[in-house]
Amino acid sequence: MAMTATHISRVGQNQEQALSPLADVIVFPPNYHISESAVFKSYHKAMDRQPAIDAEVFRKEDTARCEEMYLTLQSGISKGDPRHIDTAVRVLAHKAKLNGYAVESDQVSSLSSFQIIIHSGR
């Protein structure tokens, strides 16, 4: 967000070109500056207004982040480090929940009482 705030401030001060064309009605005051926190707030305000269709884009992005986190834990997992293993399990559980295939705790308890009886024919 800091780089974005710096770029917007420089565009407002005519020191850089905007990445996309600005409408003619947009006029910046002299010595314009925007803070990183203002960019952060504006970004989140805009994202809150986006339709739910965009949720799929964010889901894919967050899934990729989970995959990256999981991959960085691999060296500790292969060494048997309990902290890395615990963290990896939580990352995978979060990814499953994010993508809608997590099993809820009440479903797990009902599955634990599930039994399969196999008759061998004797």
Side-chain angles (χ1 to χ4, degrees), residues 26-103:
I26 297 176
V27 179
F28 293 95
N31 297 320
Y32 177 80
H33 176 76
I34 188 167
S35 68
E36 183 178 352
S37 64
V39 170
F40 181 84
K41 289 176 186 176
S42 296
Y43 170 80
H44 286 282
K45 188 175 182 180
M47 291 300 105
D48 289 343
R49 290 191 304 251
Q50 292 297 313
I53 295 169
D54 288 345
E56 184 59 31
V57 173
F58 296 127
R59 187 176 296 109
K60 287 180 181 178
E61 188 176 295
D62 289 343
T63 298
R65 288 180 181 140
C66 287
E67 290 293 331
E68 188 176 327
M69 284 184 245
Y70 185 76
L71 288 174
T72 60
L73 294 165
Q74 287 299 308
S75 64
I77 292 169
S78 64
K79 294 176 186 171
D81 183 344
R83 289 184 64 195
H84 281 83
I85 293 168
D86 180 58
T87 303
V89 168
R90 287 188 282 128
V91 167
L92 291 174
H94 176 70
K95 185 179 128 191
K97 185 177 179 183
L98 177 70
N99 289 297
Y101 56 85
V103 177

